[in-house]
Amino acid sequence: MPLQPRRFLPRLAPEMYCGNAVVFWTHTVKDRASGWLDPSSHAAFREIVLHAAIREQLLCPVYTMMPDHVHFVWMGVAPESDQLSGSVFFRRQFERNLAPWKWQSQPHDHVLREDERLQGSFMATCTYIHENPVRKRLVANRESWPFSGCVLPGYPEMLPNGEGFWELFWRIYNHAVERQSIGKLDVIRRR
């Protein structure tokens, strides 16, 4: 029997993932395997996403790690931001922590359209990601799921469900875009 060609999801043009793009990513473990998710894989995930964020000038306002996949949103803050490159980096680095499991052949992504980037729509997308463990009946409320959060370089303690999160997040994001770099980002203090 002849081998079937590998099928890949169609991708948008590479420039759609660059600059100030906002993308909802889903990385799935091959064959929906589970058993890898634990506190050490969570710590490794946060470290690798942090490195990807700094390398590619990205902010991650929300992520949720599930037993067989991870969801997160990345937002580019500089003209050099490249989420496809960041995704390749993330997958290669994290697969070491995933072993013996592997990633599905490619991630699913959704580049948010302009109307989906409006504050209310965007926050609804982030809430959808954060609520995934509740929808799957893994926990009664999203605050109980230990494998969710955000990765904002310079803000290790911020949580998407924390008081004042969105107000501070938008200040950080706007400041980063104005400076066109998270490497030059001055820490914005909570008031």
Side-chain angles (χ1 to χ4, degrees):
M1 175 179 259
L3 291 175
Q4 294 294 321
R6 284 181 96 172
R7 297 189 192 277
F8 292 96
L9 295 171
R11 288 268 180 248
L12 297 173
E15 56 270 13
M16 297 298 292
Y17 301 89
C18 294
N20 289 65
V22 179
V23 184
F24 175 172
W25 291 94
T26 302
H27 296 266
T28 305
V29 178
K30 187 176 181 179
D31 300 324
R32 292 280 197 177
S34 60
W36 59 274
L37 183 58
D38 61 25
S40 67
S41 65
H42 184 207
F45 171 87
R46 288 185 55 83
E47 180 180 355
I48 292 165
V49 169
L50 177 63
H51 283 285
I54 292 168
R55 285 173 62 110
E56 300 301 334
Q57 302 295 309
L58 304 167
L59 297 179
C60 176
V62 66
Y63 70 83
T64 296
M65 301 176 73
M66 298 293 286
D68 60 359
H69 66 281
V70 298
H71 292 299
F72 55 85
V73 170
W74 269 343
M75 304 174 77
V77 297
E80 308 81 39
S81 298
D82 182 344
Q83 294 198 35
L84 290 176
S85 178
S87 181
V88 169
F89 173 82
F90 163 73
R91 289 169 66 86
R92 283 188 184 145
Q93 295 298 314
F94 194 73
E95 199 159 74
R96 297 175 194 161
N97 296 285
L98 203 55
W101 299 276
K102 296 200 175 291
W103 291 119
Q104 181 175 284
S105 62
Q106 78 180 83
H108 178 268
D109 63 72
H110 175 69
V111 177
L112 275 62
R113 300 179 312 267
E114 201 61 41
D115 63 313
E116 294 173 307
R117 293 175 62 154
L118 297 174
Q119 197 167 353
S121 296
F122 176 74
M123 289 169 52
T125 298
C126 292
T127 298
Y128 174 84
I129 291 169
H130 208 194
E131 291 283 334
N132 203 11
V134 177
R135 283 192 308 279
K136 298 294 182 183
R137 298 181 182 179
L138 297 171
V139 289
N141 60 64
R142 67 185 186 189
E143 291 78 15
S144 299
W145 188 245
F147 307 113
S148 291
C150 65
V151 179
L152 306 174
Y155 300 87
E157 309 261 331
M158 280 185 67
L159 293 171
N161 54 351
E163 185 178 330
F165 171 80
W166 285 110
E167 180 183 341
L168 182 56
F169 170 77
W170 288 117
R171 288 177 49 213
I172 293 165
Y173 173 77
N174 289 327
H175 187 68
V177 169
E178 286 171 14
R179 288 184 164 256
Q180 297 186 358
S181 170
I182 58 174
K184 301 176 195 169
L185 189 61
D186 296 326
V187 174
I188 296 173
R189 306 279 182 227
R190 289 182 192 253
R191 292 180 193 232

